[in-house]
Amino acid sequence: MTIAEKKNRVIEPETLIGKRIAKMDAPEKASGRTRYIHDINLSGQLHGKILRSGRIHALIKSIDTSAAKALPGVHVVITAADIPDQRPIGVAKDHFPLKVGRVRSQRDEIAAVAAESEEIAEAALKLIKVEYEDLPVISDPEEAIKPGAALIHPEPHGADGSHEHLKQGMSIAHKGKPDNIAMRFDYAHGDVVQGEAESDVVVEDTFKLHYVTHCCMGVSGMIAEFDASGNLLMYSNTQVPFLHKREFAEYLNMDPARIRIIQPPIGGGFGSKLDIYPFEVICLYLARAAKRPVKMLFTREEEFLASPTRQPVLLTLRSGCKKDGTLTFRQVHTLHDNGAYTSWGATTPFVMMQTFSSLYRVPHCDYHTAAVYTNNPYAGSFRGYGNLQATFAIEQHMDMLAEAIGMDPLEFRMKNAQDAGEVSGQGMSFKSCGFKDCITTAATRSDFSRKFRENAANRKKPGNIKRGIGMASMLHVGGGAKIYPSDGCGTILKMDDFANVTLITGASEIGQGSETVLSQLVCEELGLPISAITVVNNDTAITPWDVGVHASRTTFIAGNSAIGAAKKAKSKILAVAAKKFECAEESLDLRGGFVIRGDSGEVVIELSKLLRNLHFQDKAELVMTTFYYEPPSVHQDKGFKGDVSAAYAWGTQVVEIELDTDTGFIKLVKVTGAHDVGRVLNRLGIEGQIEGGVVMGQGYAFTEDLIMENGIMKNPNFRDYKLVTAPEIPEMDIAFIESMDGEGPQGAKGVGEAPAICMAAAAANAIANATGVRMFELPFTPEKVYRAMHGQTPKLYWKPWRVE
Amino acid sequence: MTELKHYFAPTSLDQAVERLKDGDVTILAGGTDLTPQSQAGRIKFKHTLMNIRHIPQLSGITLEGREIRIGALATITEIMEHPLIKERLPVLVEACDHFASDQIRNAGTIGGNICNASPAGDMLIPLLVLDACVELASMPEAKIYRHCMPLSTFFVGPGKTRKSLCELVTGVRIPIPEANHVARFYKHGTRPALDISTISIGIAGTLVDGSLSNVRVAFGAVAPTPTRAAQTEQALEGQRLDEATIDKVAAIARDEVKPIDDVRATAWYRKEMIHNITKRILSHVAQA
Ligand SMILES: Cc1cc2nc3c(=O)[nH]c(=O)nc-3n(C[C@H](O)[C@H](O)[C@H](O)COP(=O)(O)OP(=O)(O)OC[C@H]3O[C@@H](n4cnc5c(N)ncnc54)[C@H](O)[C@@H]3O)c2cc1C
C-alpha cells in the first residue's frame, strides 16, 4: 500500500499555541479534592513542633527539657546538645537549625518535640525551661555598620578572652565574623566621574523598601520518614528538589542517593521554598531520633514569624542626564538588612544591578551593596528578587530627570530604552527585545500623555479627589539564569500503545501552570490533543534532574527540554512511518492523532496504530525518549558581567489612581500593562500570571507591611498584615508583545516574576502626578500618603557608604 | 489544652440564664471574636462553653411599640437585609456594609459585637448615636430578671462592660427616629473590606431649617471604649450647619479625642481623620 493509492480524509492544521487552556490541576483544586501536604497522613506518624526563642538577641544559659520528655505521648525532645553532628545551613552557612549558645532573632529555634498529637507536642513545648541572658539588640542596619556595634556573629573567645584558634575554611556559624557585614557586591561599568561631568542635571535620593512576606495560603510543612534500611522519604514543598536532596544529605551525613523527595501539590511558592529552613532539618532530626514518620506544619503565626521575607533595602541613587535627554550615569549604594542569618535575600544585588546597568542604556554605572546582620527576620527570595526595589528607585528617577530637563517622561524613556541587538554594559545581549513596543503600547492604551498633563494641571483645583497616572518599566531574566554549574532541565517522554504521552519532567509545578504549558508544547510537536498527556513532575526517584523553579525559568528551560524530547519522539515515529509507507520522512507530519502527509494533510495512518505496530510487530520497540536542555547562557565573570540568561523579558505598566486628599486613601483604578513575553503559549495561564503579579505588586505598593519594632514582629496575622482583598483589585488591561525569541520554546520567554515588578514604582509616579509630592518609602498606606502631603515626612537621606 | 470541661447548647432563655448563675461560663454566639481570641491565647475558656444559638428569644428583628428590637443573635447580614432596618435605621445598614466580609457578616452577631466591646466595633458607633439600650437577662433567684441599660453607659474599657458574668445580652432596643432625623456613619481604614477601623464616626440629630438639634456624636477607635463626644455635641447643638460652624466643630472634635499610636495608625493621624471626616459628614448633611 502506498499513500497515493489510498484516498484518505484530510486533517486540517490546528495549533494549541496561544489558546486559552484551563490549568490541568484546576478541576481538582476548584472542587477541593487536591491533597496538599496538610492532607497527607502516614500511619504511625508523630507530630513535630518547635520551641522558638521569643528573645531577640540573647545567650542561652540553660535548657531543661526533662519535664517535656516526661509528658505522656512525647517521643522525642531535642536541642542542639542532642545533635552533636549538626551542620550550619543556609546560603552563607551561618545558621544552625537548632541554636547553639545564642539566639539572634525572635524566630530562633531552641528545641523541638515529636509527640503523638499536635496538642501534646504543644503542651510539651510549654514545659521546656530556657534561661537567657539578654544582649543588646540591633534592629537597624545603619546601627549594625557603626564602629563598635554589637556583633551578631562574634568570633568565639576562649575562657581567657583570647580568640579561639580556628581552622581555616570553617563556616561562619563556627568561626564567626569580625563585623556585621554578611555579603557585599560591587559592580561598575564606565566611569561615573566622567558621566557626572557630562551631565546637565543630577538627582540624588534615598529610597526605603520595607518588609513583606509571601503569605502562601498553604502554610509551610513537611513529612519525613526513614525506612527500615535507613532510606529517607520526604514529602516537601521545596522548589529545588534535586539541589536540596544533596544538601539534606550533607546535613544528615548520608548518601544523597538514599534520599527521595516527593512534592505534593503546593499551596503557594513565589520563591519562599528556594532555601532550606531550620524547620525542615529539625523535622528530619526528629524523624531520625523517633524512628517514626514525623509531620510538621506551621501555624499561620509561625508562617509569618519564621518565613523568609522580601529583602528590605535602604538605597541611595544618584542619576544624571544631558539636556537632550540622554542618560549619563547612575551610582547606587544599598544597605540590605540581612537579618540574623543569610538566605537568598542577600544575593538580590545580582538582579538589582541588572536593572541599574541595563534597563536603559546608561554609559556609566557604579553599584555597591552591603548586606548587614541585624536581629531582624532574614530575607529570602521572593518573586522579582530585588527587582521591585531597584525598579522603585530607578523609575522614579526617570520621571524626576525628565521633569528636571522639561521633557515628557514617555519621550525620555523612549530615548534611553534598549533595542534588540544591543549588548548592555553588563554584557547582557538582547537578542529579542520588545521594550519600546511595551512602552508605547501601555502608553497608548492608557492614554498616558493626555492624562499625565491633565492630572498635573488639576492638582491645584478644588475637590478632595486627585487623579494620578504613572508609568514604570522593567527588565528581568526570561531565559533562565546561569547561577549554578548547570541551568538545565531533563525530560523523559514515553508513549503508550494508544498514543498517549507521559511527560516526566524535572520541572516542579508550583501553581504557575507549568504542567499545562509543557503539555501544550509536547502535544503541539506530536500533533495530539491536550487530553492525550499525563505529567509526572513531583518525585526525585522518577523525574530527571532540574535546577529548580526560580528565575522565571520553567517555561523557557523545561519547555525547551520537553520540546527536545518530543522532537526526538516525532522523528522516530516519522522515520518508522516513512519506512513503512515508503516515502520520505520530510513529507510526513503528525496532526490530530494521525501521521499525515505534510503538504495535503491527508491521513497516512492513525498514530496509535503505528505505535502498536512498532511495539508488537515490526521492531518490538517502544517510543521513549529523553532530553536534557542546557540554555546557551554563560556565568557572569567576577565583575558580574556576562550574558547570564538566554533571553530577557520586558514590560511596562501604567497605574492610575484616585487619591483622597482628606484621608490619604488611594484607590487603584486601573492598571494597563504591556509585557514582552516572547510569545503567548497559554493565554488563560499568562493572563492569570500577570493579574496575580499585579495584585502582588499592588500589595507591596499599598497595603502589605510586616511591622518590625526592635526585632519584634508586631503583626504576624492577616488582621493587621493587609493583603489586597477582592474589591481593591483594579481594572486591568493587559497586552502582550510577541517578540518571538529565537531561543525560546515556540518563541516564548519567562514571565513569572515580571508582573509584580513595576507596580510600586508606577504607583509612586502616579502619586507624584496627582499631588506633586514624591514618596520614597513604601508602602503607600493612607497615613503615609497623608503625612507626605502635609509635610510630615522628613526627607530620607542615607549617606552612600560602602565596605572598603 | 484548655480548661474547657462542658459544652452546653440551651434551647430556652431559662436554661441559659440558669446555667449562667455560677458565672463559670463562656458564651458563644457567632464565634468570630471568640475563636481567634482563644486561639491567640488572649482569652481563656471557662469551664462551660455555652452555645446560645438555639435560644429563640435571642433572634429576630421586630417593631415593638415605638422601638425596634434587634435580637442579640441577629447577624450582621440579617440586619443589613431587613426591610425594617433599611427603612427606619439606614445608618445601621451603612455600618453593616463596611463590616468585615460576607463570610464574617453571616456568622457575626450584633450581641457579639456589643459584648466584645472593642473600641473599634463597627455596630457600636451607630447604635450609640441612635440612643440604643442593651437588654440584659439573668436569674438572680428562681425567676428571670430583665433590664435595659443605655449603651452609652455600657462600656468600661477594651473588652470590658458593665454586664455581670451572670448576665446574657438578649438584644438591643432602638427608639424609632422622629421625622427629620439624620444619621451618618463613616468608617476609615486602609482597605474597603476586612478591616479594623482606624477611626469611625457617627453623627445623628434632627435637622430642621439647616440646623441640627438633639445632636449625637460618637467616635470609634480613639479611646478605650466607643464614646460619645460631649463637647462636639454641645458645639453642634442647635447650630446652623454653615461653613464656619462646621470648621469650628471639626476642630473641637479633633481636640476632644485622645487616641493612641498603634500598628494601625498614629494618634496624630487619627486626630486629623476625626477632623477631616467630621467636616466631610457635616458638609454632606448641610447639602442634603
Ligand atoms: C476576619 C474578621 C473581620 C472582622 N471585621 C470586623 C469589622 O469590620 N467590624 C467589627 O466591628 N468587627 C469585626 N470583626 C469582629 C467580629 O466579627 C464582630 O465583633 C462580631 O460582631 C462578633 O460577633 P460573634 O457573634 O461572632 O461573637 P462571638 O465571638 O461569639 O462572641 C464575642 C464575645 O461576646 C460574648 N457574647 C456573644 N454574645 C453574647 C450574648 N448574647 N450575651 C453575652 N455575651 C455574649 C462572647 O462570650 C465573646 O466574649 C471581625 C472578625 C473577624 C474574624
Side-chain angles (χ1 to χ4, degrees):
Chain A
M1 183 174 68
T2 64
I3 297 174
E5 280 170 328
K6 195 162 181 198
K7 279 283 164 231
N8 264 325
R9 71 181 168 106
V10 167
I11 312 271
E12 296 301 331
E14 261 188 83
T15 180
L16 289 166
I17 305 303
K19 293 281 154 60
R20 306 176 68 84
I21 296 174
K23 276 162 78 173
M24 292 167 87
D25 57 1
E28 288 289 298
K29 283 189 172 159
S31 61
R33 284 183 170 88
T34 303
R35 285 193 196 94
Y36 296 94
I37 206 160
H38 316 76
D39 305 308
I40 299 172
N41 293 299
L42 304 186
S43 62
Q45 107 194 338
L46 301 174
H47 298 267
K49 286 272 169 200
I50 292 172
L51 179 70
R52 298 182 185 280
S53 142
R55 300 296 178 99
I56 309 306
H57 195 193
L59 297 176
I60 304 170
K61 290 281 144 188
S62 69
I63 309 177
D64 178 1
T65 59
S66 52
K69 281 181 173 149
L71 188 71
V74 170
H75 285 239
V76 180
V77 182
I78 53 171
T79 67
D82 300 296
I83 320 284
D85 61 343
Q86 210 187 175
R87 295 211 198 171
I89 65 168
V91 171
K93 300 284 177 266
D94 56 6
H95 194 182
F96 286 113
L98 287 162
K99 304 305 175 263
V100 182
R102 177 191 284 252
V103 292
R104 298 175 174 85
S105 69
Q106 188 184 11
R107 51 78 52 85
D108 274 20
E109 297 78 2
I110 305 284
V113 175
E116 300 279 344
S117 71
E118 279 187 67
E119 289 76 11
I120 296 173
E122 296 258 9
L125 293 185
K126 295 205 177 92
L127 297 174
I128 299 173
K129 291 192 189 68
V130 191
E131 280 180 347
Y132 297 98
E133 182 184 316
D134 283 320
L135 295 168
V137 170
I138 296 200
S139 58
D140 179 351
E142 287 187 80
E143 294 298 317
I145 55 173
K146 286 195 176 146
L151 296 178
I152 311 289
H153 291 272
E155 294 163 317
H157 290 258
D160 60 353
S162 67
H163 279 271
E164 276 185 351
H165 193 66
L166 287 162
K167 277 187 248 140
Q168 282 273 302
M170 287 189 91
S171 71
I172 293 171
H174 287 103
K175 74 173 170 31
K177 285 221 97 190
D179 52 29
N180 285 325
I181 312 292
M183 275 198 189
R184 59 179 289 189
F185 291 83
D186 303 284
Y187 165 85
H189 75 248
D191 173 3
V192 282
V193 177
Q194 187 197 329
E196 179 144 4
E198 289 167 3
S199 307
D200 295 317
V201 170
V202 172
V203 289
E204 179 174 298
D205 291 284
T206 297
F207 300 82
K208 191 172 178 183
L209 291 310
H210 62 312
Y211 277 105
V212 294
T213 184
H214 310 71
C215 297
C216 299
M217 287 296 111
V219 289
S220 302
M222 135 142 153
I223 306 174
E225 176 176 29
F226 288 87
D227 72 10
S229 319
N231 300 310
L232 169 61
L233 173 63
M234 289 162 57
Y235 293 87
S236 155
N237 280 140
T238 172
Q239 293 181 222
V240 269
F242 292 95
L243 296 182
H244 281 184
K245 187 172 130 156
R246 244 190 78 184
E247 229 177 300
F248 281 123
E250 238 170 70
Y251 302 148
L252 293 167
N253 264 317
M254 67 186 283
D255 177 0
R258 301 177 70 176
I259 299 182
R260 176 179 177 188
I261 298 179
I262 293 179
Q263 298 158 277
I266 193 170
F270 313 111
S272 63
K273 278 112 183 137
L274 222 58
D275 201 359
I276 289 181
Y277 301 110
F279 87 90
E280 296 170 288
V281 183
I282 291 171
C283 186
L284 300 180
Y285 292 155
L286 287 172
R288 189 172 64 176
K291 300 191 169 58
R292 295 259 294 259
V294 173
K295 178 173 182 176
M296 194 179 273
L297 282 183
F298 276 7
T299 61
R300 177 56 66 187
E301 191 180 16
E302 230 176 352
E303 185 75 13
F304 274 104
L305 284 171
S307 293
T309 66
R310 194 182 283 290
Q311 178 65 58
V313 174
L314 194 61
L315 184 156
T316 297
L317 172 63
R318 193 169 170 82
S319 320
C321 70
K322 293 184 190 166
K323 275 199 200 102
D324 69 358
T326 328
L327 287 173
T328 46
F329 80 99
R330 229 175 235 137
Q331 188 168 39
V332 192
H333 289 84
T334 90
L335 193 59
H336 278 40
D337 186 343
N338 202 51
Y341 306 99
T342 309
S343 182
W344 293 115
T347 70
T348 49
F350 278 125
V351 171
M352 297 176 73
M353 62 175 73
Q354 292 173 1
T355 292
F356 288 110
S357 74
S358 307
L359 169 60
Y360 296 98
R361 246 177 276 120
V362 56
H364 310 285
C365 179
D366 185 41
Y367 177 99
H368 305 278
T369 285
V372 299
Y373 286 118
T374 64
N375 296 115
N376 287 327
Y378 65 91
S381 59
F382 193 166
R383 190 184 203 174
Y385 214 95
N387 212 348
L388 286 74
Q389 297 91 319
T391 304
F392 182 68
I394 213 171
E395 282 289 348
Q396 290 211 60
H397 263 194
M398 288 305 281
D399 266 22
M400 292 165 77
L401 285 171
E403 195 178 328
I405 57 166
M407 192 182 252
D408 177 74
L410 190 63
E411 193 189 331
F412 183 59
R413 285 181 170 83
M414 288 297 282
K415 197 168 167 79
N416 293 289
Q418 300 281 8
D419 271 316
E422 291 189 55
V423 177
S424 80
Q426 208 182 338
M428 298 152 82
S429 164
F430 303 131
K431 280 143 262 173
S432 66
C433 174
F435 186 18
K436 286 183 173 166
D437 279 347
C438 290
I439 297 178
T440 47
T441 305
T444 310
R445 290 174 78 122
S446 62
D447 201 1
F448 177 84
S449 294
R450 180 184 64 81
K451 289 179 185 166
F452 187 82
R453 276 193 312 274
E454 286 180 8
N455 293 336
N458 278 339
R459 273 179 214 155
K460 296 270 176 295
K461 295 205 177 136
N464 60 308
I465 299 294
K466 301 288 171 212
R467 286 167 184 275
I469 190 165
M471 161 183 290
S473 297
M474 69 98 216
L475 153 69
H476 205 75
V477 293
K482 199 153 283 176
I483 16 191
Y484 294 101
S486 163
D487 190 27
C489 174
T491 302
I492 302 170
L493 186 151
K494 74 178 176 102
M495 298 192 73
D496 72 6
D497 308 339
F498 307 96
N500 292 312
V501 181
T502 304
L503 170 70
I504 305 170
T505 173
S508 307
E509 167 70 46
I510 60 162
Q512 82 279 48
S514 67
E515 326 188 296
T516 314
V517 158
L518 298 179
S519 297
Q520 263 180 285
L521 291 170
V522 166
C523 292
E524 182 75 7
E525 254 354 284
L526 297 175
L528 291 171
I530 200 109
S531 56
I533 195 165
T534 304
V535 182
V536 175
N537 56 1
N538 65 350
D539 185 341
T540 58
I542 299 168
T543 58
W545 194 88
D546 172 66
V547 79
V549 196
H550 63 240
S552 306
R553 66 185 284 281
T554 298
T555 294
F556 194 98
I557 308 285
N560 274 333
S561 179
I563 289 177
K567 284 205 158 117
K568 279 166 93 175
K570 181 174 178 177
S571 68
K572 176 165 185 174
I573 292 164
L574 295 186
V576 167
K579 194 149 178 233
K580 193 177 179 75
F581 298 102
E582 294 167 1
C583 59
E585 251 176 83
E586 304 75 57
S587 69
L588 299 176
D589 205 348
L590 298 175
R591 196 181 282 170
F594 295 89
V595 180
I596 51 132
R597 282 190 55 145
D599 52 3
S600 63
E602 275 175 84
V603 167
V604 176
I605 183 172
E606 206 177 327
L607 180 57
S608 60
K609 198 169 165 197
L610 181 75
L611 291 174
R612 283 194 295 273
N613 283 173
L614 177 68
H615 182 182
F616 296 111
Q617 297 159 19
D618 299 356
K619 286 171 88 185
E621 265 190 37
L622 298 172
V623 176
M624 281 202 286
T625 63
T626 65
F627 196 81
Y628 186 74
Y629 175 74
E630 180 69 45
S633 46
V634 298
H635 289 273
Q636 292 177 334
D637 61 20
K638 286 215 169 65
F640 302 107
K641 289 180 185 153
D643 198 16
V644 71
S645 183
Y648 298 90
W650 307 86
T652 300
Q653 288 175 349
V654 172
V655 156
E656 292 175 65
I657 59 160
E658 279 174 13
L659 188 155
D660 182 344
T661 55
D662 284 348
T663 60
F665 185 84
I666 291 176
K667 181 169 187 248
L668 180 58
V669 178
K670 187 174 178 187
V671 175
T672 308
H675 284 266
D676 171 9
V677 300
R679 187 175 183 194
V680 175
L681 298 179
N682 180 358
R683 193 166 294 277
L684 194 60
I686 203 167
E687 282 173 3
Q689 191 74 0
I690 303 276
E691 286 165 13
V694 163
V695 174
M696 198 168 240
Q698 178 184 3
Y700 186 59
F702 294 105
T703 61
E704 293 179 50
D705 190 7
L706 203 54
I707 303 168
M708 297 301 307
E709 256 178 52
N710 287 323
I712 297 170
M713 196 176 287
K714 305 302 278 184
N715 57 340
N717 57 63
F718 282 133
R719 186 189 58 201
D720 293 321
Y721 183 95
K722 294 181 195 295
L723 285 177
V724 169
T725 60
E728 291 152 87
I729 296 177
E731 179 190 346
M732 290 184 216
D733 171 19
I734 310 295
F736 297 104
I737 307 300
E738 300 196 290
S739 59
M740 298 298 289
D741 189 81
E743 180 65 22
Q746 296 280 358
K749 304 195 269 197
V751 67
E753 296 167 274
I757 292 169
C758 299
M759 286 297 295
N765 287 338
I767 292 171
N769 179 233
T771 63
V773 176
R774 279 266 152 216
M775 293 188 65
F776 300 97
E777 186 176 344
L778 288 175
F780 302 138
T781 57
E783 174 158 1
K784 281 232 179 75
V785 173
Y786 187 85
R787 279 183 177 275
M789 292 186 56
H790 288 79
Q792 295 283 318
T793 310
K795 172 84 177 125
L796 268 176
Y797 185 67
W798 174 61
K799 192 166 181 301
W801 178 90
R802 74 177 77 158
V803 185
E804 290 310 330
Chain B
M1 280 177 288
T2 122
E3 297 298 307
L4 197 60
K5 294 244 161 54
H6 309 284
Y7 171 77
F8 180 51
T11 50
S12 76
L13 189 58
D14 275 69
Q15 286 172 2
V17 286
E18 163 112 58
R19 187 62 170 251
L20 277 175
K21 272 181 164 176
D22 69 358
D24 205 4
V25 176
T26 299
I27 296 170
L28 171 74
T32 62
D33 275 319
L34 202 58
T35 314
Q37 285 167 8
S38 63
Q39 292 227 341
R42 268 182 292 140
I43 60 144
K44 265 204 137 98
F45 283 127
K46 306 253 172 57
H47 270 99
T48 300
L49 180 67
M50 183 165 85
N51 177 356
I52 58 173
R53 286 206 296 259
H54 303 285
I55 305 172
Q57 292 93 326
L58 302 191
S59 50
I61 297 172
T62 46
L63 190 63
E64 295 186 2
R66 301 204 35 76
E67 287 179 335
I68 290 173
R69 175 184 186 270
I70 304 177
L73 282 177
T75 63
I76 308 305
T77 304
E78 275 166 34
I79 296 169
M80 193 168 151
E81 289 172 355
H82 201 281
L84 198 55
I85 306 290
K86 281 189 189 166
E87 191 195 323
R88 310 306 280 269
L89 305 171
V91 69
L92 276 186
V93 177
E94 184 66 22
C96 295
D97 198 25
H98 291 93
F99 197 103
S101 61
D102 283 347
Q103 293 90 329
I104 299 290
R105 286 181 207 167
N106 288 341
T109 64
I110 194 161
N113 200 243
I114 293 171
C115 295
N116 190 54
S118 159
D122 281 327
M123 302 308 287
L124 312 180
I125 299 303
L127 287 177
L128 278 173
V129 299
L130 291 171
D131 285 339
C133 279
V134 187
E135 274 182 10
L136 296 155
S138 58
M139 196 176 265
E141 303 293 334
K143 273 177 64 190
I144 295 194
Y145 167 69
R146 291 159 166 271
H147 71 119
C148 275
M149 191 188 288
L151 192 67
S152 54
T153 61
F154 187 67
F155 303 111
V156 183
K160 294 204 173 62
T161 67
R162 288 177 55 199
K163 179 182 85 65
S164 84
L165 288 177
C166 310
E167 283 177 314
L168 189 67
V169 167
T170 54
V172 275
R173 294 183 166 274
I174 302 157
I176 291 174
E178 319 243 317
N180 302 322
H181 184 259
V182 291
R184 295 288 155 86
F185 172 75
Y186 191 96
K187 170 178 178 176
H188 177 60
T190 51
R191 60 184 180 195
L194 272 173
D195 209 6
I196 311 282
S197 295
T198 306
I199 59 115
S200 59
I201 300 183
I203 296 180
T206 311
L207 186 68
V208 180
D209 298 334
S211 55
L212 214 51
S213 55
N214 280 318
V215 177
R216 301 285 182 274
V217 178
F219 296 134
V222 292
T225 63
T227 46
R228 289 264 300 268
Q231 291 165 30
T232 310
E233 287 181 358
Q234 212 182 351
L236 258 179
E237 187 62 44
Q239 299 296 313
R240 279 194 73 80
L241 291 178
D242 53 32
E243 218 179 299
T245 308
I246 291 174
D247 281 349
K248 195 180 104 199
V249 170
I252 289 172
R254 166 167 52 199
D255 295 342
E256 185 172 12
V257 295
K258 303 272 178 292
I260 54 162
D261 292 344
D262 66 15
V263 290
R264 282 169 215 127
T266 62
W268 177 81
Y269 180 69
R270 287 194 159 102
K271 279 171 158 290
E272 287 289 298
M273 290 307 101
I274 291 288
H275 174 270
N276 294 354
I277 293 167
T278 299
K279 192 168 156 178
R280 183 184 285 187
I281 293 177
L282 291 176
S283 305
H284 283 181
V285 171
Q287 281 155 26

